[in-house]
Amino acid sequence: MTILTLNLHCYAEDHIKDNQMRIVDKIIEHDVDVACFQEACQSVDMCYLNDIQKELKMRGHHYEHVFASSNIAFDTYDEGVAILSRLNIVNTNVTHISKTQDYHDWKTRKAIHADVLWSNKVIRITSIHFGWTDEKEVFETQFDTLYKALNHDMTQIICGDYNIDDKSDEYRYVTKHVYDLWDQQTKTNASTHGDKRIDYIMSNQTLSVKKQHVLFCEEDSKVSDHCGVLMTLDLK
């Protein structure tokens, strides 16, 4: 199974249409099965994921997507987390992970889950955008809320912007509970936001990684203020 995770930075970037075409190109090039997005946005007359889905369909690639609204962004856009899948989605649900539950407060955070069919198994994919610890929120509490919502009888793949780097205490806390699937023994650049790695694909199980890439990092290929993480997992 090939998975991509990417924080889209809402509609805050320039050249949105060009960015969407770059994303579509990479989804097709890398034969992506499931893509998880954070800061995915929509408005009355626009939807970032609808545009990507339609372009994929025009090129002969059929995907469906699910979206969970979290908060209003830039006083204009309905912002949330999303999953785009060419695999059959058999079930979805949403977990509210932040103490904040005000749609007009950007600190409101949710996770969206999609159960997809892979061979004869059901795999749960989660797209997540964690907040960080401040005077109102605690990262570990948000993670605990998500972790309790997982069904540990099935394979869980948790993708997204964790807002923690891999040298932090928060990262050590997370990886006591779930596995970071990125193979850090390779010399592949893993930075996804500036010089830090804060976007991850993790799982409640150890899984074999057949290939891994960081996408959209070169200056002429950027689509967001984040890079994307792409992995092909061997799910037996």
Side-chain angles (χ1 to χ4, degrees):
M1 181 187 292
T2 299
I3 301 176
L4 168 70
T5 186
L6 174 65
N7 182 317
L8 293 169
H9 199 205
C10 192
Y11 284 107
E13 297 294 314
D14 296 326
H15 312 296
I16 292 295
K17 188 66 175 178
D18 291 340
N19 293 346
Q20 290 171 327
M21 294 306 101
R22 288 193 185 106
I23 293 168
V24 168
D25 288 343
K26 289 300 181 184
I27 287 174
I28 295 171
E29 176 187 343
H30 291 281
D31 210 20
V32 172
D33 295 299
V34 181
C36 294
F37 297 102
Q38 305 81 47
E39 293 190 35
C41 286
Q42 56 190 26
S43 65
V44 172
D45 56 353
M46 294 188 299
C47 176
Y48 205 113
L49 267 296
N50 272 352
D51 291 343
I52 288 176
Q53 185 180 20
K54 288 176 183 176
E55 181 66 23
L56 284 164
K57 185 176 181 181
M58 285 178 58
R59 300 194 200 181
H61 301 270
H62 295 270
Y63 287 75
E64 57 182 313
H65 86 267
V66 291
F67 173 83
S69 170
S70 297
N71 54 272
I72 191 168
F74 305 102
D75 298 318
T76 304
Y77 301 112
D78 186 29
E79 181 182 297
V81 285
I83 297 172
L84 180 77
S85 176
R86 70 175 180 184
L87 305 175
N88 187 26
I89 297 175
V90 296
N91 182 53
T92 65
N93 66 328
V94 174
T95 301
H96 201 130
I97 64 166
S98 59
K99 293 179 183 176
T100 307
Q101 298 192 21
D102 181 358
Y103 176 72
H104 296 279
D105 190 330
W106 62 270
K107 294 182 181 180
T108 299
R109 307 282 170 155
K110 293 179 181 177
I112 189 165
H113 316 277
D115 293 347
V116 301
L117 288 179
W118 177 258
S119 186
N120 60 345
K121 297 173 64 176
V122 176
I123 309 293
R124 177 160 295 177
I125 310 293
T126 295
S127 180
I128 183 68
H129 187 189
F130 286 107
W132 50 86
T133 299
D134 58 17
E135 74 285 349
K136 198 170 186 179
E137 297 288 338
V138 177
F139 172 85
E140 289 86 351
T141 302
Q142 292 190 5
F143 176 79
D144 288 346
T145 301
L146 176 68
Y147 188 75
K148 289 174 184 175
L150 301 179
N151 179 352
H152 296 284
D153 293 330
M154 64 192 301
T155 301
Q156 308 269 335
I157 301 173
I158 309 117
C159 310
D161 178 359
Y162 282 60
N163 267 316
I164 57 171
D165 70 61
D166 58 4
K167 308 293 190 297
S168 65
D169 291 339
E170 291 90 343
Y171 176 84
R172 285 186 282 275
Y173 182 82
V174 167
T175 51
K176 288 179 182 177
H177 299 83
V178 293
Y179 299 94
D180 179 2
L181 298 180
W182 185 269
D183 181 1
Q184 299 183 59
Q185 302 307 309
T186 70
K187 295 182 180 180
T188 307
N189 175 42
S191 299
T192 62
H193 193 262
D195 60 353
K196 295 181 179 180
R197 186 162 74 102
I198 66 172
D199 300 85
Y200 301 93
I201 298 175
M202 299 198 182
S203 178
N204 64 335
Q205 301 174 8
T206 54
L207 299 173
S208 175
V209 179
K210 296 171 68 176
K211 66 179 181 180
Q212 60 185 22
H213 301 281
V214 173
L215 302 179
F216 312 117
C217 268
E218 300 301 323
E219 197 59 42
D220 61 351
S221 69
K222 287 186 175 180
V223 297
S224 171
D225 61 340
H226 286 246
C227 305
V229 179
L230 179 88
M231 283 187 187
T232 297
L233 305 175
D234 188 4
L235 299 177
K236 296 179 179 178

